Amino acid sequence: MVVVDEQDRLLLIQRGHGVARGLWAVPGGKVQWGETWRDAAKREAREETGLEVKVGPVIWTGESVGPGQPPEWHFSLVDFACKVVGGKLRAGDDAADVRWVPIAEVRNFPLVPTMFSLLEVL
């Protein structure tokens, strides 16, 4: 999900587990069986950042494939524009850290590869 505040800052988490451990990205995760994409975005926001969000329109789609032959994973990615409506910012679940980062400074962070395509639409 993509959350930008009134100060033109993007909400980022630092991944705490897996292949992307230590890299920064927008909050997100897997959709659980029977869960809608929008409900998953709300849940992941709460679990990873402590924030409650209102989910808006889709603003970016992409995919992540890798590594290995054949690929070990192939994820379809869907990011919604979201607005904070409650909660208290804190790193949780698989997030090692969470921060509001000025959009102009996001590229200074070590990012997951798909973030570069997402940044093109912001």
Side-chain angles (χ1 to χ4, degrees):
M1 82 224 39
V2 176
V3 186
V4 177
D5 70 4
E6 306 80 30
Q7 298 169 350
D8 212 24
R9 300 179 302 175
L10 180 63
L11 183 63
L12 292 181
I13 65 153
Q14 184 181 39
R15 296 284 174 203
H17 303 287
V19 177
R21 183 178 181 195
L23 299 180
W24 292 81
V26 294
K30 295 178 182 173
V31 177
Q32 296 175 351
W33 179 254
E35 185 177 47
T36 68
W37 285 348
R38 291 175 181 280
D39 288 343
K42 289 178 187 177
R43 178 184 50 77
E44 288 289 345
R46 186 173 45 259
E47 290 176 358
E48 293 186 344
T49 72
L51 299 175
E52 299 294 330
V53 298
K54 179 180 179 183
V55 179
V58 171
I59 62 168
W60 180 84
T61 61
E63 58 189 339
S64 179
V65 181
Q69 293 294 330
E72 293 178 10
W73 74 79
H74 186 163
F75 295 127
S76 296
L77 308 171
V78 179
D79 278 320
F80 296 89
C82 294
K83 179 181 177 183
V84 175
V85 295
K88 183 175 179 181
L89 187 64
R90 57 139 183 87
D93 197 29
D94 68 345
D97 196 1
V98 60
R99 296 184 194 174
W100 288 106
V101 179
I103 291 176
E105 298 175 18
V106 170
R107 290 180 187 270
N108 296 333
F109 283 69
L111 302 171
V112 298
T114 54
M115 279 294 298
F116 296 98
S117 175
L118 170 62
L119 289 171
E120 291 176 12
V121 302
L122 297 182

